[in-house]
């Protein structure tokens, strides 16, 4: 066993023995099940249909207890411009279907038992856990693969292993503790310049919404490609030599662990809200730029509850402070979500365009063209307000509006709603490979525009 492998083994053993976690595929016995939950794709054609369905949604929400999911947007939002999907609990589905038949609303049943899809996702992860890929010593010794979804303990072991295996390329930093005491890590990847000149930087993060497992899997895949192919791929070598990457593989580890243990579709953080039984805040509505102005709820039981005040969540405070510390160095900020296959630019809180919208949009088009060339996956490009919905207090709008980073994007990964948040593990590798093609286009533009020879 060589020194790197022995050192990584010691680090990973220490993390594993300290946590004493259950096996990765063993959720709690009292975990919420989604038996009989239905996903409907709907197409509305009139303002009246929009109003009736919105009113029904609000009526259902008022009757919900402790934030229990009974009617929720699955893809997009209720509108008449484009199709969208709703997730319906068994007790709500008949009312929605009755409204559809009465008002002539077009619909298609995507799934009639969501628990079977959840079981399939987990089964795919177990059956495809072996792969012929050589993902490097850090992945091998930490148990990290991209053929399945892993728990946070495995992701953290992988993060800790990276600077041991790649000390010339990688450093890691603790950004802060979550509400439940987990570390939020940032990985800095880049070859220091021999002349000491500071390099332009790119920020990548994932996992701010707990249920969006593919986001973290995709970002860690891209991180691994950068470190393991540095010596063999000339494009990757150029990126790592001329750009510093700051990568946060998991913004919300508390919520992420909860989706593995208790409630697969949980979205928020896990902080206790004072005087309320509903747990957590939508961390992507909790930034101080245009906080609570658009599509951010004041009611703690709503999935888009933006908190009692900006940066109420320790995870957000940690990222906020680091991004501000890097102000001036960061030339691109990309936050990864799922799903819908969207490459979105600022802003979400308004339909007004930024002064540099044309150049930022053009680069997004180039990135999605490169992405599509690999597997034919089509991503739409536009502002969040244009192609998804209005939203405020987001990390994307903060990065653009508060820190003036030039190339800021939210990327909603695969798919367009069939599996949604439950994307099978067999799609992790294709998602990682195609997304990396898009990110490379962004990084090459940063080099051309900002790197100094």
């Amino acid at each position: 066993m060589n020194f790197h492998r022995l050192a990584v083994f010691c680090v990973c053993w220490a993390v594993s023995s300290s946590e004493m976690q259950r096996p990765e595929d063993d959720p709690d016995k009292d975990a919420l099940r989604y038996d009989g939950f239905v996903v409907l794709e709907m197409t509305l054609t009139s303002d009246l249909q929009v109003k009736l369905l919105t009113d029904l949604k609000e009526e259902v929400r008022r009757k919900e207890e402790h934030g229990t999911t009974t009617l929720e947007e699955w893809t997009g939002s209720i509108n008449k411009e484009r199709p969208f999907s709703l997730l319906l609990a068994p007790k709500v589905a008949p009312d929605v279907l009755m409204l559809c038949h009465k008002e002539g609303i077009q619909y298609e049943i995507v799934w009639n038992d969501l628990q079977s899809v959840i079981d399939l996702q987990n089964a795919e992860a177990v059956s495809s856990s072996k792969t012929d890929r050589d993902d490097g010593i850090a992945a091998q010794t930490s148990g990290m693969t991209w053929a399945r979804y892993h728990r946070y303990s495995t992701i953290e072991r992988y993060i800790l292993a990276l600077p041991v295996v790649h000390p010339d390329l990688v450093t890691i930093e603790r950004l802060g503790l979550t509400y439940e005491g987990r570390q939020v890590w940032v990985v800095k990847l880049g070859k220091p310049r021999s002349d000491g000149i500071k390099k332009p930087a790119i920020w990548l993060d994932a996992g701010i919404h707990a249920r969006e497992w593919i986001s973290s899997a995709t970002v860690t895949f891209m991180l691994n490609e950068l470190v393991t192919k540095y010596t063999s791929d000339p494009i990757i070598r150029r990126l790592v030599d001329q750009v510093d990457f700051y990568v946060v593989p998991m913004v919300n580890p508390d919520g992420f662990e909860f989706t593995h243990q208790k409630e697969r579709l949980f979205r928020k953080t896990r902080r206790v809200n004072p005087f309320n039984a509903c747990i957590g805040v939508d961390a992507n509505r909790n930034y101080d730029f245009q906080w609570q102005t658009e599509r951010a709820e004041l009611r703690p039981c709503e999935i888009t509850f933006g908190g009692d005040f900006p940066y109420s969540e320790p995870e957000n405070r940690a990222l906020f402070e680091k991004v501000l510390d890097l102000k001036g160095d960061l030339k691109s900020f990309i936050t990864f979500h799922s799903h819908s296959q969207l490459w979105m630019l600022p802003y979400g809180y308004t339909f007004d365009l930024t002064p540099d919208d044309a150049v930022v949009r053009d680069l997004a088009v180039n990135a999605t063209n490169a992405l599509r060339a690999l597997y034919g996956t089509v991503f739409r490009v536009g502002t969040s307000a244009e192609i998804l919905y209005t939203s405020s207090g987001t990390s994307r709008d903060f990065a653009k509006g508060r820190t003036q980073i030039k190339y800021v994007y939210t990327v909603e990964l695969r798919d367009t709603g069939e599996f949604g948040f439950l994307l099978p593990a067999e799609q992790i590798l294709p998602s990682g490979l195609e997304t990396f093609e898009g990110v490379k286009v962004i990084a090459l533009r940063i080099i051309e525009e900002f790197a100094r020879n």
Side-chain angles (χ1 to χ4, degrees):
M1 182 179 288
N2 64 29
F3 169 75
H4 281 157
R5 194 178 295 273
L6 176 61
V8 175
F9 172 80
C10 293
V11 169
C12 294
W13 178 85
V15 173
S16 299
S17 60
S18 66
E19 290 192 0
M20 298 296 288
Q21 282 198 314
R22 62 170 56 85
E24 286 197 330
D25 299 304
D26 185 19
D28 288 357
K29 293 180 180 179
D30 61 346
L32 176 67
R33 292 183 59 84
Y34 293 85
D35 299 291
F37 276 67
V38 174
V39 175
L40 291 185
E41 182 177 87
M42 311 179 74
T43 302
L44 307 186
T45 57
S46 71
D47 292 332
L48 176 60
Q49 290 177 345
V50 172
K51 182 180 185 305
L52 290 171
L53 194 56
T54 302
D55 289 347
L56 177 59
K57 173 188 169 183
E58 289 302 311
E59 180 183 349
V60 169
R61 287 291 177 88
R62 285 194 295 270
K63 295 177 181 178
E64 287 180 353
E65 295 181 359
H66 308 317
T68 303
T69 298
T70 56
L71 192 162
E72 179 184 320
E73 281 107 343
W74 182 255
T75 303
S77 59
I78 297 173
N79 71 93
K80 66 175 184 177
E81 281 73 40
R82 61 183 68 93
F84 61 92
S85 300
L86 296 181
L87 171 64
L88 308 172
K91 65 180 181 181
V92 173
D95 293 335
V96 175
L97 291 172
M98 186 179 300
L99 177 65
C100 290
H101 288 292
K102 180 181 178 181
E103 299 299 330
I105 296 174
Q106 301 175 41
Y107 72 89
E108 178 181 349
I109 298 176
V110 180
W111 298 108
N112 58 15
D113 180 21
L114 198 64
Q115 186 61 44
S116 66
V117 186
I118 293 173
D119 294 340
L120 175 65
Q121 182 186 32
N122 293 336
E124 289 282 353
V126 175
S127 65
S128 61
S129 59
K130 295 184 181 297
T131 176
D132 294 331
R133 287 177 53 86
D134 179 8
D135 290 318
I137 295 175
Q140 293 167 11
T141 53
S142 63
M144 190 73 170
T145 71
W146 289 271
R148 56 167 296 157
Y149 296 105
H150 292 283
R151 298 284 287 272
Y152 187 61
S153 59
T154 301
I155 296 171
E156 189 172 38
R157 285 197 301 269
Y158 171 70
I159 292 170
L160 293 171
L162 284 171
V164 180
V165 179
H166 306 282
D168 55 333
L169 299 179
V170 175
T171 58
I172 60 175
E173 178 186 349
R174 294 179 176 91
L175 293 184
L177 291 174
T178 68
Y179 177 77
E180 294 181 343
R182 295 179 176 88
Q183 293 284 356
V184 178
W185 296 93
V186 62
V187 179
K188 180 185 178 183
L189 168 64
K191 184 78 169 179
R193 288 182 58 139
S194 57
D195 57 12
I197 293 177
K198 187 174 289 188
K199 300 189 296 182
I202 296 174
W203 178 280
L204 309 175
D205 72 46
I208 194 169
H209 288 151
R211 61 191 178 184
E212 298 170 6
W213 292 2
I214 188 60
S215 66
S216 181
T218 296
V219 165
T220 53
F221 173 84
M222 294 190 292
L223 173 60
N224 201 63
E225 290 288 282
L226 288 166
V227 295
T228 60
K229 295 185 176 179
Y230 174 74
T231 58
S232 61
D233 188 315
I235 294 179
I236 288 178
R237 175 183 283 273
R238 183 185 180 201
L239 299 183
V240 176
D241 282 348
Q242 300 193 45
V243 173
D244 285 331
F245 292 87
Y246 290 86
V247 184
V248 182
M250 182 64 64
V251 175
N252 178 16
D254 291 353
F256 178 73
E257 275 298 295
F258 191 74
T259 64
H260 279 275
Q261 295 173 332
K262 294 283 189 180
E263 187 175 334
R264 177 60 187 87
L265 295 179
F266 188 79
R267 171 183 169 103
K268 300 188 287 184
T269 63
R270 293 298 299 163
R271 186 175 63 84
V272 173
N273 290 307
F275 312 110
N276 195 287
C278 294
I279 299 294
V281 166
D282 183 345
N284 203 39
R285 301 293 186 276
N286 191 236
Y287 284 83
D288 65 346
F289 186 76
Q290 298 294 327
W291 179 73
Q292 289 287 13
T293 61
E294 285 289 339
R295 200 178 168 86
E297 290 286 349
L298 294 169
R299 295 172 292 183
C301 290
E302 296 289 341
I303 63 170
T304 55
F305 173 53
D308 293 322
F309 50 88
Y311 305 117
S312 61
E313 307 312 287
E315 299 86 351
N316 284 29
R317 291 196 298 272
L319 266 68
F320 159 79
E321 291 170 359
K322 186 62 180 178
V323 171
L324 284 188
D325 184 54
L326 294 170
K327 185 177 180 180
D329 298 337
L330 289 174
K331 306 305 179 185
S332 180
F333 178 103
I334 312 176
T335 180
F336 292 88
H337 291 247
S338 78
H339 56 276
S340 287
Q341 294 174 199
L342 307 174
W343 201 289
M344 297 187 292
L345 8 155
Y347 287 113
Y349 79 94
T350 177
F351 283 91
D352 294 340
L353 303 180
T354 61
D356 58 1
D357 177 84
V359 64
V360 175
R361 188 179 297 254
D362 181 67
L363 183 56
V365 170
N366 292 341
T368 56
N369 285 342
L371 182 158
R372 183 174 64 236
L374 196 58
Y375 297 112
T377 310
V378 177
F379 275 59
R380 289 190 292 141
V381 172
T383 69
S384 174
E386 287 173 341
I387 63 176
L388 186 58
Y389 45 62
T390 56
S391 56
S392 61
T394 67
S395 64
R396 174 198 59 244
D397 285 7
F398 154 78
K400 188 67 172 183
R402 187 70 71 205
T403 66
Q404 289 79 53
I405 299 170
K406 184 169 184 178
Y407 295 106
V408 175
Y409 304 103
T410 297
V411 178
E412 297 278 358
L413 298 167
R414 293 185 176 200
D415 56 10
T416 56
E418 179 184 3
F419 291 99
F421 306 111
L422 308 176
L423 195 72
E426 64 185 7
Q427 294 196 40
I428 294 174
L429 276 177
S431 175
L433 287 164
E434 68 188 8
T435 306
F436 193 35
E437 293 303 306
V439 169
K440 283 189 283 188
V441 169
I442 306 292
L444 289 170
R445 171 66 67 84
I446 298 304
I447 291 173
E448 293 168 3
E449 192 168 336
F450 298 104
R452 295 171 59 185
N453 295 325

